[in-house]
Amino acid sequence: MATDERSPPEMQLETSIRPYNYYRNAVEKHWDPHEIDLEADRDGAAELPDPAFESLKQSLALFGAGEESVTEDLAPLAVVLEDIEDQLFITTQLYEESKHTDFFDRYWREVIHTEEKRRGQELSSPTDEQWFNEPYDELFERNERAMARLLEEDTPENRAKAHCHYHLTIEGILAQTGYYGLTLAYGENEPDLPDLPGLVEGLKLVRSDEGRHVGFGMAKLKDLVMNDEIDPDLLQETVDELVPLVQQSLTGDGGASTESGPGPSPSELSEYAYTKHQQRMQQITSASEAIPDVEQLTELET
Ligand SMILES: [Fe+2]
Ligand SMILES: [Fe+2]
């Protein structure tokens, strides 16, 4: 047999499949939350009227705590996934969720605390109960339970529910929507609020990472649906149960966004979230639609 007709030797890694590609994309797009310049944000924070400063803290507390929760709750998936390429991907996600948590913590230390000192205020804590409402706590408790259940009973239904909680709802709807709203509020196009370019830069990098995470969850769900392991209705039902909690987390008493304040309104954000979610459900459940490639998942609309 001529050399070129031999099949290639088996290798350790399957380098043409999605989870490997996502892992590589994560490595190539590596960023350090401590390298983001926060100098201009300290100036911007000084221009915020009191209510806007409080509402910025509220948003940062909610998203910082959210990143901490998802960092803590992801591990069961790493235990149950069998393929090495999936493991490579999950290590990047765990690392990235840690960096997101670190980014919010650093922002509080270096921007919020600096500004509180300048205003002669007592230094606040991002973990203070005042920032969180009941629907928010409930949402994250349900996510934690959905993930932990994988360790007790690793069934297709439980995997589907875990991905629906974690990837489709918390990351796909809550985080993507909230970050999009904050980016608009503190970006260059909102005349009523000062620019916070370090925050916007960090959020861009976080959102790009989240695009990859959501894509991984979508691909896992699509496999379960296409292999007839779960009823596709389970996905919509699971997400529908959680959506009211997401909305109340962002807009309810102690939520991050108000209809009258500067930046996008809660109804605009809900519409954005709903459209994105419906698109994803189509891509998961319809055989003729594909999950967007990793470049598309991680690129951000302006
Ligand atoms: Fe994250
Ligand atoms: Fe994530």
Side-chain angles (χ1 to χ4, degrees), residues 30 49 98 139 141 161 163 204 241 243 296:
H30 179 272
S98 305
L139 182 65
E141 273 160 30
K161 285 184 190 165
H163 290 302
K204 259 167 67 185
E241 270 178 41
V243 163
Q296 229 177 314

Side-chain angles (χ1 to χ4, degrees), residues 2-295:
T3 323
D4 56 353
E5 283 170 19
R6 269 189 220 136
S7 55
E10 194 186 323
M11 298 301 293
Q12 239 174 327
L13 299 174
E14 188 88 59
T15 56
S16 61
I17 60 176
R18 181 188 307 271
Y20 178 84
N21 286 331
Y22 283 15
Y23 151 77
R24 274 307 308 171
N25 188 270
V27 172
E28 286 157 15
K29 292 196 170 153
H30 179 272
W31 58 280
D32 178 352
H34 285 240
E35 270 175 16
I36 293 170
D37 186 355
L38 299 180
E39 193 59 51
D41 291 52
R42 285 186 276 269
D43 297 339
E47 289 169 36
L48 284 168
D50 279 336
F53 186 43
E54 285 307 300
S55 114
L56 171 66
K57 285 193 253 182
Q58 168 93 72
S59 299
L60 294 172
L62 288 174
F63 293 115
E67 294 292 356
E68 181 181 336
S69 290
V70 296
T71 309
E72 290 166 344
D73 297 342
L74 186 62
L77 200 55
V79 175
V80 298
L81 289 171
E82 297 95 5
D83 295 344
I84 181 63
E85 296 81 4
D86 285 338
Q87 294 291 334
L88 295 186
F89 169 76
I90 288 289
T91 59
T92 65
Q93 182 168 351
L94 258 173
Y95 178 52
E96 284 163 358
E97 302 303 6
S98 305
K99 286 198 295 180
H100 301 170
T101 308
D102 188 17
F103 173 70
F104 283 99
D105 183 82
R106 175 180 173 233
Y107 201 88
W108 202 285
R109 288 168 198 269
E110 298 188 17
V111 179
I112 301 300
H113 278 167
T114 305
E115 178 56 18
E116 285 172 337
K117 275 182 211 154
R118 199 195 62 84
R119 291 183 191 213
Q121 296 171 346
E122 215 176 295
L123 298 191
S124 64
S125 158
T127 65
D128 196 311
E129 270 173 32
Q130 63 163 315
W131 311 120
F132 310 100
N133 61 18
E134 251 173 67
Y136 180 93
D137 291 337
E138 173 72 21
L139 182 65
F140 280 93
E141 273 160 30
R142 288 201 205 176
N143 187 50
E144 184 184 0
R145 285 202 294 275
M147 298 302 284
R149 210 174 293 132
L150 295 174
L151 301 176
E152 292 150 22
E153 215 184 334
D154 181 19
T155 62
E157 282 79 20
N158 283 344
R159 284 217 191 178
K161 285 184 190 165
H163 290 302
C164 283
H165 277 76
Y166 194 113
H167 296 101
L168 290 193
T169 308
I170 304 263
E171 298 188 304
I173 302 181
L174 179 74
Q176 290 270 19
T177 312
Y179 293 154
Y180 179 63
L182 273 181
T183 307
L184 292 183
Y186 295 102
E188 285 169 6
N189 297 324
E190 177 52 64
D192 293 336
L193 289 170
D195 294 353
L196 300 175
L199 179 64
V200 168
E201 171 69 11
L203 291 177
K204 259 167 67 185
L205 293 161
V206 169
R207 285 172 69 211
S208 177
D209 290 345
E210 295 300 344
R212 209 164 34 234
H213 304 167
V214 174
F216 181 80
M218 287 171 71
K220 289 293 174 204
L221 284 167
K222 193 174 179 95
D223 287 347
L224 289 167
V225 172
M226 294 302 143
N227 297 331
D228 287 325
E229 291 183 85
I230 52 157
D231 180 345
D233 289 342
L234 176 68
L235 311 188
Q236 193 68 55
E237 284 161 19
T238 308
V239 175
D240 282 350
E241 270 178 41
L242 299 170
V243 163
L245 293 175
V246 172
Q247 277 161 350
Q248 293 157 30
S249 297
L250 292 173
T251 62
D253 189 27
S257 153
T258 59
E259 205 68 48
S260 56
S265 71
S267 44
E268 284 166 339
L269 287 179
S270 291
E271 202 185 296
Y272 167 83
Y274 186 76
T275 314
K276 291 233 40 151
H277 174 65
Q278 290 309 113
Q279 255 173 16
R280 290 190 193 115
M281 286 302 263
Q282 268 300 110
Q283 290 160 348
I284 292 168
T285 53
S286 125
S288 59
E289 288 205 37
I291 313 272
D293 64 31
V294 68
E295 289 307 330

